Amino acid sequence: MADPSSYRPKPGQIPDSPGVYKFRDEHRRVIYVGKAKNLRQRVANYFQDLAGLHPRTRTMVTTAASVEWTVVSTEVEALQLEYSWIKEFDPRFNVKYRDDKSYPYLAVTLNEEFPRVQVMRGAKKKGVRYFGPYGHAWAIRETVDLMLRVFPVRTCSAGVFKNAARTGRPCLLGYIGKCSAPCVGRVTPEEHRELAEDFCDFMAGRTGTYIRRLEKDMMQAAEEMEYERAARLRDDAEALKRAMEKSAVVLADATDADLIAVAEDELEAALQIFHVRGGRVRGQRGWVTDKVEAVDTSGLVEHALQQLYGEERGDAVPKEVLVPALPEDAEAVSQWLAERRGSQVSLRIPQRGDKKDLMATVQRNAQQTLGLHKTKRASDLTTRSRALEEIAEALGLDTAPLRIECYDISHLQGDDVVASMVVFEDGLARKSEYRRFQIKGFEGQDDVRSMHEVIGRRFKRYLQDKERTGEWEETPGAAPGAAGPVPGAPGPAPVPAATGPVPAPDLTAASPDDEPEPREDDGRPKRFAYPPQLVVVDGGQPQVAAAKRALDELGIDDIAVCGLAKRLEEVWLPDDDDPVVLPRSSEGLYLLQRIRDEAHRFAITYQRAKRAKRIRSSPLDDVTGLGETRKQALIKHFGSVKKLRQATIDEICEVPGIGRRTAESVAAALASTTPAAPAVNTATGEIIEEDDGGSS
């Protein structure tokens, strides 16, 4: 625990202008980011008597080891910089909201030549128009099914679209009138795009124009005694009305607004957001967060606005944002929102009428979300705590292993040997910390040797980061990859770098798929910075012994090691002849199995991807300076690698962008490789002349 007075800035050193500040821990990781109208006043508040600080603030300042700041011109700039730093550094003491589930959106891919209507989840993509979020994917599909009668936009995948274009036959929706079939040329790309834009206009709330136009066309068709067409137009208008009825009118003045409500207790908070467009609720979602910093309702609202609109532009930011409490710098936040929208944004608390009533509904949803989350988490926390305690007791650990890393080796008959590292913290998967390795220190199949190599490489990286930067010369006479001193190992002291960064030391069997060395103490979470309390390996005694030997060679003696053998699910410890047998009903065994299975899944996924990449490889891959664009140009010009192999250097030079030196390199690379033997149809004995152009 650090004493805040040890890093307190000198009096008068902090400016009294607007700015953003960040606290770092002893490892130079950024642990908290904040902004202030007056940096001197705000930062000084953290260095008062510890007894007067909020418990969470006290924990933060005693964890920190330094503070630094950046001066900006305006409060709006401070707000933007704070958001950018929180996103970049992911500080552990800042409030971070997380969705309580992945909400589906109705998306229109306007970035494609023929826009497609589909259900999308996850991060938003550029050039795609989104509507929602919706509570359920089936609600989107029902709405789309109704609207395709009037706006027959493409909904098929790229594969189905290309197949229809190749065969000249549309899919079923094209035959029943729910797709305009641009795949077979029934409409031009411009006509289809216009349909997609009309679809978007209707979904955005501009509904009256289309319904009135359909009713006018219906009346005209009836007058001209085209009764079948009139009936079809009548059904189309009814379909649009039914689609509209799925979103009840909540605000009669066709308001575009987002309503945000907060429910909180001492430890957690839940937010609920209703997206109202054209007076109708078009989407709803909820967030939950741990209150890791001392923050009130206005602070929670400000963090929510940053996360909700930080990546949005234009109409995605509504004209009006209704909140339960205004942020501390409400004027600056309003200005920031206006800049992102491109026009004025009203940020206020609803006082009366329909908007206040709707806010009460949003608040009830937030309270319910918090209650459900606490009930679910209490159950999860109890189970996970019991599992970690059982593991600690079975392995003889002093404390529960809050961070567990598991390693697995995967290969196919000795080829494409890879390894995986998965991380569980507090009993939950931390996928952002997963890592993967190529085994290149030797050829062939040897799981024990592979495990030793991977553990050694991973913890060499940890030791290098523990030395702050790891920028020293490799110790003479040390084993390959052993950079600098290792605790408990003999050898001269490291030689500091003279000037500028030194290239990362060459680790044993390093490969491009290993994660790169930590380079600077810039506050970003380091790739291998955090040590686990427990290392689990997939295997029995030999694998456990190899992992323990790798740690011993590095002088690391404060990390426990165990192995989980698949056959009888036995837990093996180093230097023990007999395994530890956990009861089949043990929560600890169940957690270890989940971790082991996740490591196996991650390893085999990587191994299959490498094998597929190797199978798809081409002789052109080895040509220095030949990128993917020129490679494709060569294949397109000659039709296949086989025909390219038969071409002369002068013929290769005819391809745009290919000079004589490159042509000579291509010819040499193809001449040095043996073409694959032709395939044979075993039923007929016929030799199949294969085009290997697809292998590139």
Side-chain angles (χ1 to χ4, degrees):
M1 180 179 293
D3 182 1
S5 62
S6 64
Y7 64 89
R8 178 174 184 168
K10 296 179 181 179
Q13 187 178 3
I14 309 175
D16 56 1
S17 54
V20 183
Y21 56 92
K22 52 192 174 190
F23 284 83
R24 296 178 182 263
D25 65 9
E26 60 179 349
H27 302 293
R28 299 290 295 159
R29 291 186 291 263
V30 175
I31 62 171
Y32 183 74
V33 173
K35 63 174 176 56
K37 292 181 182 178
N38 187 313
L39 280 170
R40 182 178 300 171
Q41 292 180 3
R42 177 61 62 85
V43 175
N45 288 336
Y46 291 98
F47 296 97
Q48 57 181 285
D49 184 11
L50 290 177
L53 293 176
H54 189 282
R56 297 187 186 90
T57 305
R58 185 164 59 243
T59 302
M60 188 274 291
V61 296
T62 54
T63 303
S66 64
V67 61
E68 55 195 59
W69 54 87
T70 298
V71 176
V72 297
S73 303
T74 65
E75 296 169 30
V76 177
E77 287 184 29
L79 186 71
Q80 181 63 51
L81 182 59
E82 180 193 31
Y83 169 74
S84 300
W85 278 0
I86 291 175
K87 184 178 179 183
E88 179 181 3
F89 297 121
D90 191 25
R92 57 178 291 198
F93 285 101
N94 278 94
V95 165
K96 294 181 287 291
Y97 294 103
R98 55 190 184 276
D99 281 342
D100 53 4
K101 56 184 171 181
S102 176
Y103 287 89
Y105 285 82
L106 171 59
V108 184
T109 58
L110 296 176
N111 56 345
E112 298 180 352
E113 181 183 7
F114 296 100
R116 176 190 176 193
V117 176
Q118 60 181 312
V119 178
M120 275 193 180
R121 298 178 186 265
K124 293 185 178 180
K125 301 177 182 178
K126 187 176 181 180
V128 179
R129 187 82 181 271
Y130 292 89
F131 303 95
Y134 288 74
H136 303 281
W138 56 260
I140 301 178
R141 297 188 179 98
E142 283 187 0
T143 300
V144 170
D145 186 62
L146 290 169
M147 294 184 61
L148 289 180
R149 291 181 56 95
V150 186
F151 308 109
V153 185
R154 166 197 165 207
T155 57
C156 61
S157 66
V160 173
F161 186 88
K162 289 178 181 178
N163 186 59
R166 181 177 58 82
T167 60
R169 296 193 304 271
C171 63
L172 177 61
L173 292 179
Y175 282 110
I176 65 177
K178 287 193 173 182
C179 178
S180 55
C183 53
V184 295
R186 286 187 187 172
V187 295
T188 65
E190 293 75 18
E191 291 171 337
H192 184 266
R193 180 166 292 276
E194 185 176 348
L195 276 174
E197 289 173 350
D198 288 344
F199 181 99
C200 291
D201 285 344
F202 187 88
M203 289 301 301
R206 293 181 279 277
T207 57
T209 302
Y210 296 99
I211 293 178
R212 286 193 297 269
R213 186 175 70 188
L214 286 173
E215 290 176 343
K216 180 181 178 181
D217 292 345
M218 178 187 68
M219 297 302 294
Q220 183 178 350
E223 289 176 1
E224 296 172 358
M225 292 186 292
E226 297 180 7
Y227 298 119
E228 290 185 4
R229 178 167 173 265
R232 187 170 62 253
L233 292 169
R234 178 201 62 199
D235 293 342
D236 289 348
E238 289 298 322
L240 290 186
K241 289 177 181 177
R242 289 199 301 275
M244 290 172 58
E245 288 168 0
K246 290 182 177 295
S247 302
V249 176
V250 292
L251 298 176
D253 56 354
T255 299
D256 288 348
D258 283 351
L259 290 86
I260 301 174
V262 179
E264 58 182 311
D265 59 18
E266 284 297 318
L267 300 176
E268 295 175 305
L271 273 83
Q272 194 73 201
I273 299 97
F274 276 26
H275 303 278
V276 179
R277 300 294 183 268
R280 299 173 182 270
V281 177
R282 299 289 184 179
Q284 171 190 356
R285 56 177 157 171
W287 289 344
V288 291
T289 182
D290 295 320
K291 295 173 70 173
V292 292
E293 60 175 297
V295 62
D296 56 12
T297 303
S298 63
L300 291 170
V301 168
E302 182 174 321
H303 288 304
L305 294 173
Q306 285 181 311
Q307 183 161 326
L308 188 60
Y309 303 115
E311 303 296 324
E312 304 291 355
R313 291 283 181 183
D315 291 341
V317 181
K319 297 177 182 177
E320 196 171 356
V321 179
L322 305 178
V323 295
L326 291 175
E328 181 181 349
D329 301 325
E331 186 176 345
V333 174
S334 297
Q335 188 177 345
W336 176 70
L337 291 172
E339 288 178 359
R340 307 203 72 77
R341 176 178 169 79
S343 62
Q344 189 63 36
V345 175
S346 172
L347 177 65
R348 62 188 185 86
I349 303 172
Q351 300 294 333
R352 64 183 67 85
D354 293 341
K355 293 176 182 177
K356 184 178 181 181
D357 294 340
L358 182 58
M359 178 62 84
T361 301
V362 184
Q363 180 67 37
R364 285 195 296 272
N365 278 266
Q367 294 284 2
Q368 185 181 31
T369 299
L370 181 62
L372 289 173
H373 170 73
K374 291 188 76 66
T375 301
K376 179 180 178 181
R377 182 169 181 179
S379 174
D380 289 346
L381 279 173
T382 301
T383 303
R384 297 201 309 269
S385 298
R386 184 164 66 249
L388 294 173
E389 288 170 1
E390 288 179 2
I391 292 173
E393 183 178 353
L395 304 185
L397 306 180
D398 295 333
T399 59
L402 298 183
R403 179 182 171 105
I404 301 174
E405 292 180 2
C406 184
Y407 297 82
D408 185 30
I409 308 297
S410 181
H411 56 82
L412 181 64
Q413 297 178 345
D415 293 330
D416 299 318
V417 185
V418 299
S420 67
M421 167 186 130
V422 302
V423 179
F424 275 59
E425 290 186 352
D426 295 332
L428 297 175
R430 185 74 179 270
K431 294 195 175 183
S432 62
E433 300 284 320
Y434 285 14
R435 298 291 177 263
R436 58 192 190 183
F437 303 82
Q438 288 191 63
I439 305 300
K440 289 191 174 180
F442 59 93
E443 297 291 337
Q445 174 185 351
D446 190 335
D447 287 1
V448 174
R449 192 174 172 187
S450 298
M451 187 65 70
H452 178 271
E453 178 183 322
V454 169
I455 298 293
R457 277 161 49 184
R458 183 265 184 265
F459 286 98
K460 283 172 187 172
R461 299 285 180 89
Y462 159 62
L463 292 177
Q464 289 164 5
D465 186 68
K466 192 176 179 181
E467 293 289 338
R468 303 286 184 165
T469 62
E471 295 174 354
W472 59 78
E473 294 180 3
E474 195 165 316
T475 305
V486 174
V495 179
T499 56
V502 175
D506 181 22
L507 298 183
T508 304
S511 74
D513 291 271
D514 284 344
E515 299 300 332
E517 278 303 298
R519 297 190 180 184
E520 299 178 8
D521 289 329
D522 57 2
R524 295 179 179 85
K526 296 297 188 295
R527 306 279 183 161
F528 292 95
Y530 303 102
Q533 285 81 46
L534 174 64
V535 167
V536 180
V537 299
D538 181 16
Q541 268 184 315
Q543 286 83 359
V544 174
K548 187 66 169 65
R549 187 169 68 255
L551 292 175
D552 290 343
E553 290 170 359
L554 295 171
I556 299 175
D557 58 4
D558 58 350
I559 296 176
V561 181
C562 75
L564 185 62
K566 287 189 180 72
R567 190 170 65 89
L568 298 175
E569 302 292 24
E570 299 166 329
V571 179
W572 290 91
L573 296 176
D575 305 322
D576 281 3
D577 295 331
D578 297 316
V580 176
V581 180
L582 293 173
R584 289 291 175 180
S585 59
S586 165
E587 290 291 344
L589 177 61
Y590 177 63
L591 177 58
L592 289 175
Q593 288 172 330
R594 281 177 50 217
I595 297 172
R596 188 269 319 278
D597 293 345
E598 176 69 355
H600 181 68
R601 179 201 65 79
F602 192 53
I604 201 169
T605 300
Y606 180 40
Q607 194 273 332
R608 286 171 177 168
K610 281 186 63 63
R611 186 171 77 246
K613 182 179 179 181
R614 176 169 54 82
I615 291 172
R616 292 195 304 267
S617 64
S618 160
L620 297 178
D621 295 339
D622 298 327
V623 179
T624 304
L626 187 66
E628 191 63 31
T629 300
R630 292 199 291 173
K631 201 187 306 179
Q632 293 297 334
L634 285 168
I635 298 300
K636 185 176 181 181
H637 182 85
F638 290 100
S640 70
V641 173
K642 177 182 178 181
K643 293 177 181 176
L644 175 59
R645 182 179 278 112
Q646 299 168 354
T648 65
I649 292 177
D650 290 334
E651 289 173 337
I652 296 175
C653 288
E654 294 175 2
V655 179
I658 303 296
R660 188 163 193 85
R661 182 178 297 178
T662 303
E664 291 172 352
S665 300
V666 169
L670 294 177
S672 64
T673 58
T674 304
V680 178
N681 186 324
T682 55
T684 64
E686 178 187 3
I687 295 178
I688 303 171
E689 291 288 342
E690 284 213 20
D691 247 3
D692 51 357
S695 66
S696 63

